[in-house]
Amino acid sequence: MTDNKISKSNPWWKSAVIYQIYPRSFADSNQDGIGDLQGIISKLDYLEHLGIDAIWLSPVCKSPQDDNGYDISDYQDIDPIFGTLQDMEALIAKAKEHHIRIILDLVLNHSSDEHIWFQEAKKSRENPYHDYYVWRDGTKGTPPNDMRAAFGGSAWEWVPELQQYYFHQFSVKQPDLNWENPKLRQEIYNMINWWIKKGIGGFRLDVIDQIAKEPDKRITNNGPRLHEFIRELSRETFQKADLVTVGEAWGATTELAKLYSNPDNSELSMVFQFEHICLDQMAGKEKWDLAPLPFLKLKEVFERWQTELYEKGWNSLFWNNHDLPRIVSRWGNDGKYRVESAKMLAILLHGMQGTPYIYQGEELGMTNIQYEIKEYRDIESLNLYQERLQKGYQKEEIMRSLYAKSRDNARTPMQWNDKENAGFTEGKPWIKVNPNYKEIHAKRQLTEENSIFKCYQKLIRLRKEYSVFVDGKFRMLCKEDASVFAYTRENEDFQLLVICNFYDKTIRNPLEEPEPSAKLLISNYLKIDTNTVLRPYEARMYLKDFRKSLNS
Ligand code: GLC
Ligand code: CA
């Protein structure tokens, strides 16, 4: 960053852009059809060229892959499908040469049932590891209560040998860890410190707001001891190094996010909150019951997070991840205006305050997929299909939900070029490639003048060039406008103005012309002939430099 020193109140991750890799689907180096660590190493040039500062790696630790690695059986080893510990060390070292840090995905709410702790825990009630998990007495067929697991079915699983149930918020193969047990917590800290010594640049903490569960009270997230646990975790591990930490917190409100990301650094750098991306769920609807985007609500949510965390916490900015559908298909337009709308969504998000996350392929405008049911791989999607069939839903209706919301939308192989399997593998890919790879791929966008890739590349560069991206105060404009998303960011030296048409119709521009002194930093149409209209998905970002007007 040119005009902003990095300090305690301005750590490196405030001007950073983070790129999420879903290793299975990124690049396959040994042609077994599954992406791996050597594959990632081979793409570091690409990532440095894009300009990102860090990679968040979805889990690569040893795992039976019941939930694609979010079920870890050894936190201190790499799963053979991804490579070895040496490959991981090589990735950390080589990434560093490319000025890229590696962020590990820590799954601390649960382990795999194949983890040695659980194997021991279920041997007897007296076993020293028994209390590492959450057990309740009961009788077969009558679980302690009717809590449901996120991937369907009861949250309680009967173990006849012990005449006890264990608690699992996700699949039966993901037993919940018992954070009430201090010995377990200490083992976790030792493990994290071991990774920190290896040169890890930070951690993403999977469903961290669920670790303090209290199933007897039906509490899953935001349990009473949650922030006590996180503060201890942070003190024992993260605070000892210069790391970025981001917690996944589905239940976060702005008030809670200020606790998590308090600049005093007692907890985490920031959290992923989902209010903007799960507007229907927040309104009490089920994820799978589709509804149109409540646009004014979306604006209200962004405004609230931008305003309330200003100087009191830190936002993460994202549209996509490995659990969400592709944003260009969801709120953009993956047909005629794919390029324009993908860029609009990028410009809109990257002008805001917080650390942006780009999910692999987002920088190419990769789209959702429509598979046949047998081609889906995601445990959540497959369980939903069975569950809804049994409940009497029509097949077509279930498929429509999957097309819109299945996590596999984000998990199709990365589209590198127009060769077979999009250049992802020469083997048989673990999940089918999106057939649109012949048109949408990295190789083409690297050379094309005005590609989506180039737009992301420029946005990343701009964030490092002007301090206003980091500390500018946010103000929402045109609040009641049903198609325009516009705001300013302002600090002592600059004013940034972002104006976006969120829809596919040409509309009258509700803003006055920007002052002649404002410079157009980036836009998604080649020429701007008039300020009176905004074309479909048109987005513009202007910068006013107050320092210049002072000097002249
Ligand atoms: C998080 C992950 C998701 C996983 C779940 C259970 O939500 O992002 O992929 O299935 O936690 O670990
Ligand atoms: Ca492989």
Side-chain angles (χ1 to χ4, degrees), residues 24 27-37 39 80-83 424-425:
R24 268 182 174 269
D28 178 18
S29 72
N30 61 352
Q31 321 310 336
D32 65 352
I34 303 175
D36 46 53
L37 294 176
I81 61 170
F82 297 124
F424 162 71
T425 182

Side-chain angles (χ1 to χ4, degrees), residues 172-183:
V172 278
K173 287 185 66 61
Q174 294 167 297
D176 268 61
L177 288 163
N178 176 21
W179 274 71
E180 300 283 337
N181 183 317
K183 265 172 60 199

Side-chain angles (χ1 to χ4, degrees), residues 164-293:
Q164 279 186 318
Y165 284 91
Y166 69 84
F167 182 62
H168 61 91
Q169 301 189 60
F170 296 90
S171 93
V172 278
K173 287 185 66 61
Q174 294 167 297
D176 268 61
L177 288 163
N178 176 21
W179 274 71
E180 300 283 337
N181 183 317
K183 265 172 60 199
L184 164 81
R185 299 205 300 274
Q186 194 54 52
E187 291 223 39
I188 288 177
Y189 306 152
N190 295 347
M191 174 273 287
I192 295 174
N193 287 326
W194 180 85
W195 276 112
I196 293 176
K197 276 215 195 86
K198 292 214 173 290
I200 283 295
F203 299 95
R204 179 259 187 188
L205 303 152
D206 191 63
V207 290
I208 196 66
D209 69 348
Q210 295 178 213
I211 59 173
K213 56 243 154 188
E214 293 194 4
D216 304 318
K217 297 184 187 146
R218 318 179 62 90
I219 294 174
T220 53
N221 50 18
N222 299 325
R225 297 189 69 188
L226 176 62
H227 292 274
E228 172 198 335
F229 289 152
I230 295 179
R231 270 181 229 129
E232 182 184 277
L233 163 68
S234 171
R235 200 169 54 237
E236 297 294 325
T237 59
F238 311 142
Q239 286 174 31
K240 298 178 182 169
D242 178 25
L243 303 171
V244 64
T245 51
V246 49
E248 185 194 24
W250 286 81
T253 58
T254 49
E255 282 313 307
L256 290 172
K258 282 187 250 181
L259 266 186
Y260 284 117
S261 65
N262 189 318
D264 75 0
N265 194 34
S266 57
E267 296 197 12
L268 306 172
S269 316
M270 64 192 113
V271 288
F272 290 128
Q273 58 84 15
F274 293 85
E275 218 185 322
H276 66 294
I277 214 80
C278 294
L279 294 160
D280 355 329
Q281 274 151 281
M282 299 292 169
K285 287 212 188 65
E286 250 214 81
K287 163 173 175 178
W288 306 102
D289 298 328
L290 309 177
L293 165 68

Side-chain angles (χ1 to χ4, degrees), residues 48 51-55 93-102:
E48 185 179 1
I52 52 112
D53 302 272
I55 295 170
K94 296 236 162 85
K96 199 165 173 201
E97 291 168 18
H98 288 78
H99 317 289
I100 293 172
R101 307 181 205 225
I102 300 293

